[in-house]
Amino acid sequence: MNQKMEHLKNIINEANDITFFTGAGVSVASGVPDFRSMGGLFDEISKEGYAPEYLLSAEYLQNDPEGFVDFYHKRLLLADKQPNAVHQWIAQLEHEHRSLGVITQNIDGLHTDAGSTHVDELHGTLNRFYCIQCHHQYDKASVMTHHIRHCEKCGSPIRPDIVLYGEMLDEQTISNAIQKIKAADTLVVLGSSLVVQPAAGLISYFEGQHLIIINKDATPYDRTADVVIHDDMVSVVNAITE
């Protein structure tokens, strides 16, 4: 194990109140395409003939509810994706009462699937759905197993509980995330470019001892971090948990 990995392992082992902040890179090893890289989801859904931002917008939902339902059933419901070693490591540290939980930009729900319970999903989750009219709720398993597209109570389209373009982030979720970051002695950023606002700006609330960034590419916060590793996340986690 190289010196940087050894340093990272020591910080994690000595930390008592870790907060994790995760982005799309964490789920790539689970087969979930990230949004913006070549070959990612934005590349793929641009083939639909509309801008990806429009297909994922409140405007599209309002203008063409049935088209929106078709789109998310075709492109967003990830039936076969499972948590990977990174999700499981984060959940394990929470179970050991050494982590305050995880803040995520991801909508795939894999942190919850891995067993994490203190999860602030900044952009919502594909694990929950609700009717656009009466707000009756459905879980992902029901929607996928029974191919539910319309509310069983009122007949209106149902939508995933995610933040669409043109919608505001949930204020309570943001508040929870800020408190988690402020209370942490160690903040571990995994798989986020830290450029998407306002989520990335949350990092500036960190007042603890150690900022750790593990991401394939450089981020604007690299120069202020104690440890920066540009490598595959699963490899890093496997190395420090051996």
Side-chain angles (χ1 to χ4, degrees):
M1 187 183 300
N2 66 36
Q3 193 172 0
K4 189 178 283 188
M5 290 287 200
E6 195 69 52
H7 184 40
L8 171 60
K9 184 174 182 176
N10 289 338
I11 290 173
I12 296 297
N13 287 344
E14 292 171 11
N16 295 308
D17 295 307
I18 305 169
T19 291
F20 291 94
F21 184 100
T22 67
V26 165
S27 295
V28 169
S30 292
V32 180
D34 69 23
F35 271 70
R36 297 184 181 279
S37 70
M38 288 296 290
L41 190 60
F42 262 46
D43 249 19
E44 190 62 28
I45 64 181
S46 62
K47 298 172 187 173
E48 305 278 341
Y50 290 106
E53 289 89 349
Y54 179 66
L55 292 168
L56 288 164
S57 72
E59 183 183 4
Y60 183 43
L61 172 60
Q62 183 175 6
N63 292 344
D64 185 3
E66 297 302 327
F68 179 82
V69 172
D70 284 341
F71 164 70
Y72 80 69
H73 269 270
K74 180 180 177 184
R75 294 292 187 186
L76 296 185
L77 297 185
L78 305 165
D80 57 341
K81 307 310 180 192
Q82 301 296 323
N84 61 54
V86 181
H87 299 105
Q88 291 160 352
W89 175 61
I90 290 170
Q92 181 62 37
L93 285 170
E94 184 187 313
H95 294 160
E96 293 172 2
H97 305 291
R98 298 186 47 236
S99 164
L100 302 174
V102 56
I103 302 156
T104 187
Q105 296 171 288
N106 299 337
I107 59 173
D108 52 47
L110 292 178
H111 283 298
T112 303
D113 293 347
S116 289
T117 55
H118 297 106
V119 185
D120 295 315
E121 293 162 314
L122 298 174
H123 300 142
T125 178
L126 289 168
N127 280 350
R128 292 189 306 269
F129 293 75
Y130 64 89
C131 171
I132 64 172
Q133 191 65 40
C134 73
H135 295 278
H136 183 69
Q137 295 197 355
Y138 298 84
D139 60 48
K140 182 171 72 173
S142 300
V143 170
M144 296 186 70
T145 302
H146 304 293
H147 305 288
I148 299 172
R149 297 167 55 89
H150 297 90
C151 181
E152 297 165 338
K153 291 187 176 293
C154 75
S156 298
I158 63 168
R159 59 164 287 179
D161 191 5
I162 61 175
V163 180
L164 301 174
Y165 285 93
E167 294 180 332
M168 300 290 288
L169 299 186
D170 180 70
E171 287 187 16
Q172 187 59 56
T173 303
I174 293 288
S175 177
N176 292 345
I178 290 171
Q179 292 310 310
K180 237 179 223 160
I181 289 171
K182 282 185 169 182
D185 59 22
T186 302
L187 178 61
V188 182
V189 178
L190 291 150
S192 175
S193 60
L194 297 179
V195 294
V196 177
Q197 297 294 347
L202 295 173
I203 304 302
S204 62
Y205 286 94
F206 179 58
E207 302 167 348
Q209 292 175 281
H210 300 292
L211 173 61
I212 296 164
I213 298 176
I214 305 168
N215 191 52
K216 193 168 73 171
D217 302 310
T219 83
Y221 287 85
D222 284 5
R223 65 185 182 279
T224 62
D226 294 87
V227 178
V228 177
I229 298 175
H230 296 149
D231 202 349
D232 173 69
M233 263 141 284
V234 172
S235 300
V236 173
V237 169
N238 287 338
I240 65 173
T241 55
E242 282 177 349

